[in-house]
Amino acid sequence: MKQGKLIVLSGPSGTGKGTICKQLLPGADAVLSVSMTTRAPRPGEEEGASYFFTDREKFSEQIRGNGFLEYAEVYGEYYGTPRGPVETHLRAGRDVILEIDMQGAMQVKAAFPRGIFIFIMPPSMAELRRRIESRGSESPEQIRERLRKAEAEIGYLWKYDYVVVNDDLDRAVGDVSAILRTERLRVNRAAEGILDRFQRETV
């Protein structure tokens, strides 16, 4: 059976990665990997849909058991991608989307170099500040720290395959969809399925 594709979306906090994923999924023929985190839920977030929320002790148990595809500490909280569900989907031929930060993406890239890595950029630092402030979940110092971190994280851009500027949500979703369609037509990705179908029809 053809292996599924691993699709990684990253970008600084506030660039709209989660919103793009939600808009993308209905037509993407892919599943979204749900991360685990030690941070508290934000308003509107649901257990098992937004994240798997846990404490540090249980998160550490997962680390010791090699239960994460990647994990990182971000702003004092831990985030990680549970390994089992991702590998099960890929083996079954399903594409998997990971919405993760740059540290995690680089860990995934080392293990899955043929993954599709997409960097989501804000249109400007001023707009990024406005988006973070509008969430109402961070203190002024936390906002300043996120903006300082965002400037450093943008330096990871060159390690990705594609960049999408989220200045308009519909256009950004369209750009990511176009990237996925293009990747499905790459010879090294599409040939296996095409040849397999051709051989079945001609036997």
Side-chain angles (χ1 to χ4, degrees):
M1 180 179 290
K2 181 170 67 73
Q3 179 90 350
K5 296 183 292 294
L6 193 65
I7 303 148
V8 176
L9 267 69
S10 298
S13 176
T15 52
K17 304 181 295 296
T19 304
I20 289 173
C21 285
K22 288 177 184 177
Q23 297 274 343
L24 182 71
L25 278 173
D29 193 24
V31 296
L32 178 65
S33 172
V34 179
S35 297
M36 182 177 290
T37 182
T38 59
R39 76 159 170 78
R42 291 175 181 153
E45 292 183 330
E46 297 180 15
E47 168 69 21
S50 306
Y51 287 95
F52 294 112
F53 296 98
T54 190
D55 57 33
R56 286 176 176 265
E57 182 179 350
K58 291 179 180 177
F59 198 99
S60 296
E61 288 176 3
Q62 287 280 81
I63 294 174
R64 290 193 294 270
N66 195 31
F68 290 116
L69 189 63
E70 58 80 27
Y71 69 92
E73 184 178 6
V74 182
Y75 303 115
E77 301 291 353
Y78 283 95
Y79 296 79
T81 301
R83 178 184 298 275
V86 172
E87 293 183 343
T88 297
H89 285 308
L90 293 176
R91 284 195 300 268
R94 291 184 287 269
D95 296 346
V96 180
I97 298 175
L98 304 185
E99 181 210 330
I100 55 179
D101 79 325
M102 278 60 69
Q103 295 178 57
M106 293 304 100
Q107 293 177 48
V108 172
K109 191 169 188 178
F112 293 88
R114 292 187 63 193
I116 303 166
F117 292 81
I118 305 170
F119 195 92
I120 307 299
M121 281 277 288
S124 67
M125 292 302 291
E127 173 61 15
L128 185 62
R129 174 187 286 275
R130 188 196 67 77
R131 292 178 185 178
I132 295 173
E133 289 176 341
S134 70
R135 295 195 304 212
S137 58
E138 286 94 1
S139 68
E141 178 54 37
Q142 287 174 322
I143 291 171
R144 286 192 292 271
E145 175 59 24
R146 286 188 183 276
L147 292 172
R148 285 194 294 266
K149 188 174 179 63
E151 291 179 347
E153 288 172 334
I154 288 171
Y156 280 89
L157 170 64
W158 307 105
K159 298 182 183 292
Y160 285 72
D161 302 312
Y162 300 94
V163 59
V164 170
V165 177
N166 186 15
D167 55 350
D168 176 88
L169 179 60
D170 289 340
R171 182 164 55 242
V173 171
D175 287 345
V176 175
S177 296
I179 290 168
L180 300 187
R181 287 195 299 271
T182 299
E183 286 290 337
R184 290 190 185 101
L185 297 175
R186 281 185 181 271
V187 170
N188 62 345
R189 297 188 188 277
E192 180 182 349
I194 292 171
L195 291 175
D196 180 61
R197 184 170 64 249
F198 178 80
Q199 288 166 352
R200 288 199 308 270
E201 291 174 352
T202 55
V203 169

